[in-house]
Amino acid sequence: MTSTVSSVDTTAATDPGAAADAAVAAILDATVRPAPGAPRGVVVDSPPGAGKSTLVVRAAQELVGAGERLMIVAQTNSQVDDLVDRLASKAPELTIGRLHAADTPPTAEAVRHPNVTASAKPGDLLALDAVISTAAKWQWVRDVEPWRHAIVDEAYQMRSDALLAVARLFERALFVGDPGQLDPFTVVGTEQWSGLSHDPSSSAVVTLLAHNPAIRPHRLPVSWRLPASAAPLVSEAFYPYTPFHAGTGPGDRLLLPGGRADGSAVDAAIDEAAEYGWALLELPARYTVRTDPQAVAAVAATVRRLLDRGVLAVSEQGRRPLTAERIAVGTAHRDQAAAVRAALLELGVPVDATTGPAVAVDTANRLQGREYDVTVVLHPLSGRHDATAFHLETGRLCVLASRHRHACIVVARAGIAELLDEHPATDPVQLGSAVRIPQGWEERIGGEVIPLLERVGAQFPDGWEANHRVLAELAEHRVRL
Amino acid sequence: MSLLSTLARLEAVRSGRAEPLATVRHRHLSERPMVLVPLATAAEDGAPLAVLLGTDREAPRLHLVPQPLNRELRTEFLAAFADDLLPYLESFAEAVELIEGSEKDPVTGEKTPVTRELCADAPQLLVPNAGAVRHLALIGRATRFRRTAADPDPGPHPAPARVPLLGRWLTHLTERAQVPGSSMLLPMTGLLARHWATGQSLLEDQHLAAQLAWHHPPAGLTGAQAAELAETARDEQGQLLHPPAGPATDPRFDEKLLAPAIARFDAALTARRGGPGTGAPGTVEACVEQLRALLLGVLLPTWSDVWSGLELLRALPPAAHLPERWEGDRWSYTGHRDRLAAGEPPQPRLDDAVTAARKLAQREREQARLDVQEALDDPLAMAERRLAGEAFAAEVVEVVLDHDTSGRTPRPRPLLVLRTADRPHAEVGREVHRIGAPSAQKGRIAAVEAEQGLVTVRLLSGMGRRRDPEPGTLPEPGERVLFALFELTPRQSAPLPEPDDTPWTHGGPPSAVRNSTAVAEEWA
């Protein structure tokens, strides 16, 4: 009944492709042909770049192929439009409805396909194979027959109260999402409910699993995006429940800087990243304003040199020069992104994608779900004198450290490790929170500790520890500016 | 912290005095507020020690527990507290106004007119700080389920009749205090911090006396020096000259004065129980009097602090939207009054999934409404939004009449060319809302020339139903206008299922999970 891919031992799998195929087959099986008495929900934990989008398309195709109609829930309008576009291109045989709010029409990309119908009225779309909308819009849909199947995309970004409002619309659902991304949030206090299994501000998947213990989450075991140099670190630091492997081997992804290094620290960092997949370009320790001018300048110079040196990116997709649109700069705050954009413009690097190929400069929130060859990250804790919950949030660091196919260069002030040590988490412990103990932890930390962790509502992964882990790896690839 | 409030704090450091953060008062103040200063026992979380309360600055009333660990004395305290506070809370129940509304029949969907009562005013409790609110919530949780002699099964220790009622009111008030912008239960430190910035940290602002010290430092002292004195100055016995506002007491007071006085009370009580003739008559009473004097001594400074804070706030003119928000509090009060009258059970220990989601939705809605209303009521609050790029003030350079001819009748879609010195996050296509238009007016940004400070907005609504805009609905060239990039009315929250229709994802209806271990909670 709970035959899930969790039983497939991926560590032994020599062929990542076969392991991934087996996982997808099991998920589709559980979704399209549920065993009698099986739980009504199927949860899929998907690490970065593990083929989540492909899975959603295939699940939709198979469900429709089995004679079902389905509803699909995503979280933001741009996610919905992307999904409509992808689904319509990959599955031209499906009729797709894009349900939208009256004042936010869908993008042109989403409705350019002949098999897509857009409407603000659910009644116009009921007969179509698949109807896609945001959770916010679905909440207002009433007086319809419930669908037999739903797919909830980016389910870890969905808030529990949103699921509460839409769950009446479907009988069974496939929940797909990346557990390492940023958690949903609210601007008002919710301490009153922390520790409750149905805390309305927690993630929809957390609530679902707490109330449906029979659901054993599936996982996609292979990241096709992250290179062999990054997958083990990202997996260990951010995905304790869902370990995964890189789909490519150590030598499969190469970054070949052309031209000769000019002897600067920036070039040394680029060479380090090309060789090992990681580099830390470290500035002297100092407390700075958020838009630290020297760190911003270092980020901009790194991007400029990446473009100037004629770097070649070699991968299973072939050889291609590293161009502006294959590079992203990630920051924690919007003003930092704005400062980096201004600095890049001064160096003549294009940053506006509407006018042609450009470097993407954005915050972690906006880089979620996107993929580049090389990323340059301004470390969220660089130059700070304190480590707040915002800066320690694992999702933020995880998003920034998992966007790249080849290499990630982190720019930071020295002293982050000391800063972390001075700011251990001081949040009050909430008794009775829903706790998932990661697989294999029982052996690692001893069985007697587990009940204690469960009682105090331990959170995994822990932002403080994850930060230290990433720093420890980066310290091996340090270049001082 | 926003840029402006950081600046105000820096200015306060330089001037040595509190600096204004608002030009108007953003919270409702009652004509007849009840000031309430509670103290807790160090021994046990949420165990009451004393409370000083009253509506008259000159006549505070003190209730105390002479031996905080004695459950009977605690119950006596709670009964006296209830008898003192409840008449004030209930005094607003009688005067009502009648509101005409309509109700939708759930079956036929027909609307029928109904008249509903809305209490004309509501109670207001003022406490020194956020800790006091939490303390009252704990008392509410500990008392609202107490059984009384009137219960079918009163149990071995029935509580006095009004104690559970006190618990229900305290629970209601502390829950309501979680709703942004509500004013039925307010901590003075929070009220002052909303309206003035001091030159100390937000954490230090939690000390009421220290925060007030920035408002009227003694001659020759800066605010920082006066605040430090308020926090640390002690007399020759080592007691704080200005005891903390509670609910916790100063440990040195506990050790040197309170504990010995309680010990004397215990001894006197033991002596009296020893039998007739043992213990001098009147010793117990004398010990209680000593405790009264001690506790009054540590409570009175905070009592007058709360009233001084109130005076400062009353000097500010009220914000325009206060009556609207206070009406929400009145509805909340009326609703609770009606639930009590209908004999409904006390608020449950834990919210079920639907109730929690409803409360969260309400709080988010009210937070959005509060942010908008504060910005509309107060140029300083609006300045924060403008600095954040969420609003901009501008001068109208040109008005170009234009029409949307796609429909059957042409509709006015004029373009406003605006010159602004602000730096709004204006992207083409972004929705904007005009503040101060005769009726709600929406537009979309049509062009931006950031270097020249020019923003072109195409107006989409609020111009009447004719082909051309109604007179007065468009600003004239040269006129000053204000546009917000945020919506001026909060969005409605989506409907949630009834608790009995809680879906499988959230564990089904709450009645089915009532016996699960997560809900079990034990009380000492």
Side-chain angles (χ1 to χ4, degrees):
Chain A
M1 187 172 99
T2 52
S3 75
T4 74
V5 68
S6 324
S7 56
V8 178
D9 185 6
T10 49
T11 49
T14 46
D15 178 6
D21 288 347
V24 170
I27 294 162
L28 292 176
D29 219 39
T31 306
V32 184
R33 294 166 291 276
R40 292 167 70 177
V42 175
V43 173
V44 180
D45 289 345
S46 167
K52 178 171 68 69
S53 320
T54 318
L55 174 70
V56 169
V57 171
R58 282 197 55 190
Q61 281 175 308
E62 294 225 359
L63 281 170
V64 173
E68 303 283 356
R69 290 178 309 114
L70 75 154
M71 62 177 277
I72 302 182
V73 187
Q75 309 314 316
T76 65
N77 276 310
S78 64
Q79 283 171 6
V80 170
D81 285 335
D82 282 354
L83 189 54
V84 168
D85 187 21
R86 198 167 343 104
L87 197 56
S89 338
K90 298 259 176 69
E93 74 279 10
L94 299 192
T95 55
I96 298 163
R98 164 66 165 108
L99 179 63
H100 60 85
D103 51 356
T104 42
T107 58
E109 284 77 34
V111 291
R112 66 194 159 128
H113 306 274
N115 53 337
V116 172
T117 314
S119 173
K121 296 197 191 82
D124 298 346
L125 309 170
L126 289 180
L128 302 178
D129 293 334
V131 185
I132 311 183
S133 192
T134 59
K137 176 69 182 169
W138 277 119
Q139 295 179 25
W140 290 97
V141 172
R142 37 180 56 247
D143 302 324
V144 293
E145 273 291 299
W147 276 262
R148 273 177 35 80
H149 287 274
I151 297 177
V152 180
D153 195 14
E154 300 293 0
Y156 280 91
Q157 288 176 35
M158 185 183 199
R159 248 172 41 181
S160 168
D161 55 349
L163 178 61
L164 178 65
V166 300
R168 63 191 160 81
L169 292 170
F170 53 79
E171 289 172 23
R172 319 184 55 87
L174 169 66
F175 296 85
V176 188
D178 181 345
Q181 304 244 312
L182 290 161
D183 285 333
F185 69 98
T186 170
V187 291
V188 299
T190 55
E191 300 79 19
Q192 181 177 9
W193 304 297
S194 48
L196 285 188
S197 56
H198 52 250
D199 177 351
S201 65
S202 66
S203 148
V205 181
V206 170
T207 298
L208 177 79
L209 293 178
H211 286 282
N212 296 272
I215 300 179
R216 301 283 302 276
H218 295 244
R219 62 198 163 103
L220 296 176
V222 178
S223 171
W224 300 107
R225 173 194 308 151
L226 290 174
S229 58
L233 171 66
V234 173
S235 171
E236 272 189 43
F238 302 106
Y239 295 87
Y241 302 113
T242 48
F244 62 89
H245 298 266
T248 50
D252 294 349
R253 298 259 173 90
L254 296 174
L255 208 53
L256 307 172
R260 189 176 275 276
D262 61 6
S264 68
V266 168
D267 270 19
I270 291 173
D271 288 340
E272 181 78 17
E275 173 123 27
Y276 299 104
W278 297 102
L280 170 64
L281 184 57
E282 192 177 75
L283 288 81
R286 190 174 163 192
Y287 295 144
T288 65
V289 291
R290 220 153 69 176
T291 51
D292 180 359
Q294 290 169 327
V296 166
V299 170
T302 307
V303 176
R304 182 71 261 179
R305 285 299 291 164
L306 276 171
L307 291 170
D308 286 349
R309 286 183 67 186
V311 181
L312 196 64
V314 181
S315 75
E316 68 283 3
Q317 297 174 356
R319 305 163 72 86
R320 59 186 176 199
L322 180 69
T323 47
E325 77 276 14
R326 299 300 307 157
I327 301 176
V329 176
T331 65
H333 294 279
R334 280 198 293 187
D335 52 0
Q336 294 171 331
V340 171
R341 264 186 229 119
L344 283 173
L345 275 177
E346 267 181 34
L347 296 180
V349 178
V351 291
D352 183 1
T354 55
T355 57
V359 174
V361 184
D362 240 320
T363 58
N365 299 52
R366 296 184 184 213
L367 289 176
Q368 292 198 69
R370 285 155 61 181
E371 179 175 299
Y372 302 89
D373 281 344
V374 177
T375 56
V376 182
V377 172
L378 181 55
H379 197 288
L381 293 170
S382 173
R384 291 192 64 85
H385 63 273
D386 64 350
T388 67
F390 174 89
H391 299 94
L392 282 181
E393 188 177 347
T394 42
R396 187 155 281 104
L397 188 61
C398 178
V399 169
L400 294 173
S402 62
R403 299 301 101 202
H404 61 282
R405 286 172 50 83
H406 287 270
C408 174
I409 302 174
V410 178
V411 176
R413 293 264 166 199
I416 294 180
E418 292 77 14
L419 174 74
L420 282 168
D421 287 344
E422 282 162 17
H423 290 86
T426 52
D427 290 342
V429 166
Q430 295 293 343
L431 297 181
S433 315
V435 174
R436 282 170 73 192
I437 303 295
Q439 279 178 16
W441 273 51
E442 198 159 340
E443 296 85 76
R444 269 175 60 191
I445 60 173
E448 65 273 22
V449 188
I450 300 287
L452 188 71
L453 289 178
E454 283 175 343
R455 207 166 316 139
V456 300
Q459 291 298 311
F460 297 100
D462 173 74
W464 189 85
E465 197 194 329
N467 262 288
H468 262 307
R469 265 225 137 89
V470 173
L471 273 181
E473 172 82 25
L474 286 174
E476 307 283 312
H477 307 288
R478 180 182 315 177
V479 176
R480 290 203 170 86
L481 188 73
Chain B
M1 233 178 353
S2 71
L3 198 58
L4 268 189
S5 59
T6 308
L7 179 67
R9 277 180 185 273
L10 292 174
E11 283 179 343
V13 172
R14 192 156 58 184
S15 69
R17 307 200 56 133
E19 296 286 336
L21 279 177
T23 61
V24 292
R25 175 162 47 77
H26 288 291
R27 296 294 180 275
H28 174 85
L29 286 183
S30 161
E31 302 266 302
R32 189 166 63 96
M34 169 73 79
V35 172
L36 199 152
V37 186
L39 284 185
T41 310
E44 196 181 323
D45 197 23
L49 172 64
V51 58
L52 191 68
L53 77 168
T55 52
D56 179 355
R57 184 174 189 163
E58 305 307 325
R61 299 183 295 274
L62 176 70
H63 303 281
L64 77 159
V65 194
Q67 168 47 279
L69 299 180
N70 182 320
R71 292 292 191 272
E72 276 171 36
L73 292 176
R74 187 185 296 179
T75 306
E76 278 172 30
F77 160 84
L78 291 170
F81 183 21
D83 287 339
D84 199 341
L85 183 60
L86 288 176
Y88 170 74
L89 296 178
E90 288 163 349
S91 66
F92 297 89
E94 297 297 322
V96 294
E97 51 184 280
L98 297 177
I99 304 285
E100 300 288 333
S102 63
E103 212 163 63
K104 207 166 161 186
D105 189 299
V107 184
T108 61
E110 265 177 58
K111 282 193 174 173
T112 46
V114 287
T115 310
R116 279 186 294 176
E117 283 189 354
L118 172 61
C119 293
D121 201 0
Q124 181 173 52
L125 259 56
L126 296 177
V127 295
N129 51 29
V133 176
R134 275 194 300 277
H135 180 66
L136 293 182
L138 285 176
I139 296 184
R141 209 170 75 158
T143 52
R144 67 180 190 265
F145 301 109
R146 291 290 299 273
R147 285 175 290 183
T148 66
D151 263 297
D153 171 21
H157 303 290
R162 307 263 281 169
V163 167
L165 193 58
L166 172 75
R168 297 176 66 172
W169 272 111
L170 290 181
T171 303
H172 182 74
L173 292 170
T174 47
E175 278 268 321
R176 178 72 193 171
Q178 303 285 320
V179 176
S182 70
S183 297
M184 275 217 285
L185 169 59
L186 288 169
M188 186 51 74
T189 48
L191 271 173
L192 291 174
R194 170 64 192 89
H195 296 89
W196 289 277
T198 64
Q200 58 188 6
S201 72
L202 293 172
L203 189 70
E204 290 166 304
D205 274 350
Q206 293 290 310
H207 194 302
L208 179 56
Q211 199 185 156
L212 273 171
W214 286 86
H215 286 266
H216 31 66
L221 291 187
T222 65
Q225 291 164 330
E228 195 179 350
L229 271 185
E231 280 173 18
T232 56
R234 292 179 184 269
D235 62 14
E236 55 276 16
Q237 273 90 47
Q239 293 301 316
L240 283 171
L241 292 175
H242 208 119
T249 42
D250 176 33
R252 220 179 290 180
F253 166 77
D254 290 353
E255 183 198 347
K256 301 285 183 205
L257 301 179
L258 184 61
I262 292 175
R264 283 196 296 276
F265 169 81
D266 284 343
L269 205 61
T270 320
R272 172 177 289 181
R273 281 184 188 143
T278 53
T283 331
V284 174
E285 288 71 21
C287 288
V288 173
E289 274 318 305
Q290 274 183 7
L291 275 164
R292 288 188 79 83
L294 270 182
L295 291 171
L296 206 56
V298 296
L299 280 166
L300 275 178
T302 303
W303 170 264
S304 41
D305 280 349
V306 178
W307 288 97
S308 333
L310 191 57
E311 260 170 37
L312 284 171
L313 289 160
R314 279 186 169 150
L316 285 175
H321 280 97
L322 287 188
E324 186 186 323
R325 290 207 295 276
W326 181 242
E327 192 182 313
D329 285 316
R330 285 161 57 205
W331 277 115
S332 157
Y333 173 78
T334 312
H336 189 61
R337 177 199 74 158
D338 295 344
R339 281 190 293 278
L340 290 177
E344 285 187 23
Q347 300 94 328
R349 288 197 171 107
L350 298 172
D351 290 330
D352 58 68
V354 173
T355 309
R358 278 187 186 153
K359 283 184 184 170
L360 178 58
Q362 182 201 25
R363 290 176 199 175
E364 289 186 317
R365 209 167 53 234
E366 291 300 322
Q367 182 68 58
R369 186 159 79 136
L370 180 67
D371 289 345
V372 169
Q373 292 186 343
E374 287 194 348
L376 295 180
D377 289 346
D378 185 350
L380 262 180
M382 183 58 87
E384 293 202 352
R385 307 300 289 263
R386 286 168 57 187
L387 270 176
E390 296 167 341
F392 61 99
E395 187 190 324
V396 181
V397 179
E398 198 184 354
V399 180
V400 185
L401 281 183
D402 193 9
H403 291 89
D404 171 13
T405 50
S406 61
R408 201 180 305 161
T409 51
R411 312 293 312 270
R413 293 287 182 266
L415 287 164
L416 301 184
V417 182
L418 308 167
R419 185 187 303 282
T420 177
D422 295 346
R423 284 184 294 176
H425 289 303
E427 295 142 22
V428 171
R430 180 129 183 207
E431 205 171 85
V432 294
H433 304 267
R434 185 174 155 211
I435 295 167
S439 62
Q441 199 163 54
K442 196 167 82 173
R444 238 176 240 290
I445 293 182
V448 182
E449 287 166 74
E451 294 81 47
Q452 287 89 44
L454 289 181
V455 177
T456 307
V457 169
R458 184 181 292 280
L459 288 181
L460 301 173
S461 62
M463 292 165 288
R465 311 185 62 80
R466 295 164 200 272
R467 186 183 180 281
D468 286 311
E470 295 281 336
T473 57
L474 284 191
E476 303 285 332
E479 202 176 321
R480 299 285 301 172
V481 289
L482 195 54
F483 275 92
L485 279 72
F486 50 89
E487 291 186 44
L488 300 182
T489 43
R491 296 211 161 190
Q492 246 187 315
S493 321
L496 285 161
E498 288 300 313
D500 284 340
D501 298 327
T502 306
W504 59 276
T505 53
H506 288 63
S511 53
V513 292
R514 196 158 286 158
N515 297 324
S516 90
T517 50
V519 192
E521 200 171 23
E522 289 200 2
W523 293 97

